[in-house]
Amino acid sequence: MEKLTNKEEEIMHVLWKLEKAFVKEVQAGLEDENLHYNTVSTIVRNLEEKGYVDHKAFGKTHQYFPIISREAYGKRFWNEATRRFFDSSYKNMVSFFAKEEKITAEELREILEIIENKQ
């Protein structure tokens, strides 16, 4: 999976939410609604070339839909972030969030319960 730019990722979030959309609908779902139609269309076509979306043709217009799930992308993103920033250690990642007070002791207990019940 090729890395996405911030705009590509934003467009993917719109497509994941809508499940299928024409470029105008994608454009309306973006935070920056002033982004020109042609720019959005180009980014969507780039996403198609990268293998993230596909389309169904309706005459001269296309309805786009994601072919990579949000979960699959998230898994790849977190695996890569863990490798790059935490030496491939999920323990280091969780410790970081605990030290930064981004995760509570209760949440950690819930995670532990999930791990213990999985076995």
Side-chain angles (χ1 to χ4, degrees):
M1 239 186 275
E2 193 173 335
K3 185 170 173 40
L4 298 181
T5 66
N6 289 341
K7 276 293 175 212
E8 288 172 335
E9 197 169 281
E10 184 181 356
I11 286 173
M12 284 302 299
H13 282 284
V14 172
L15 286 170
W16 285 321
K17 180 180 177 187
L18 298 176
E19 296 180 359
K20 56 186 176 183
F22 296 98
V23 172
K24 274 224 178 276
E25 295 169 320
V26 172
Q27 183 183 24
L30 296 172
E31 288 182 24
D32 179 9
E33 289 186 26
N34 294 324
L35 198 60
H36 195 275
Y37 176 92
N38 291 342
T39 303
V40 176
S41 181
T42 298
I43 295 170
V44 171
R45 286 193 315 268
N46 288 343
L47 286 166
E48 187 171 25
E49 287 177 21
K50 290 181 176 184
Y52 283 87
V53 302
D54 202 353
H55 74 270
K56 183 175 180 183
F58 292 92
K60 290 185 176 184
T61 188
H62 296 110
Q63 185 179 50
Y64 294 92
F65 54 91
I67 55 175
I68 299 292
S69 72
R70 184 181 187 145
E71 294 74 22
Y73 181 75
K75 183 177 182 180
R76 184 195 114 349
F77 172 84
W78 283 110
N79 285 340
E80 180 65 17
T82 302
R83 184 188 66 74
R84 289 177 57 211
F85 299 109
F86 302 105
D87 300 321
S88 296
S89 168
Y90 286 94
K91 177 184 164 255
N92 289 348
M93 182 179 69
V94 172
S95 296
F96 168 81
F97 287 116
K99 288 175 188 170
E100 293 292 314
E101 298 180 8
K102 303 291 184 191
I103 191 168
T104 66
E106 181 59 33
E107 290 169 326
L108 286 171
R109 281 190 280 282
E110 289 173 18
I111 292 169
L112 217 75
E113 188 175 315
I114 291 168
I115 293 168
E116 289 170 350
N117 290 334
K118 191 173 183 180
Q119 296 174 352

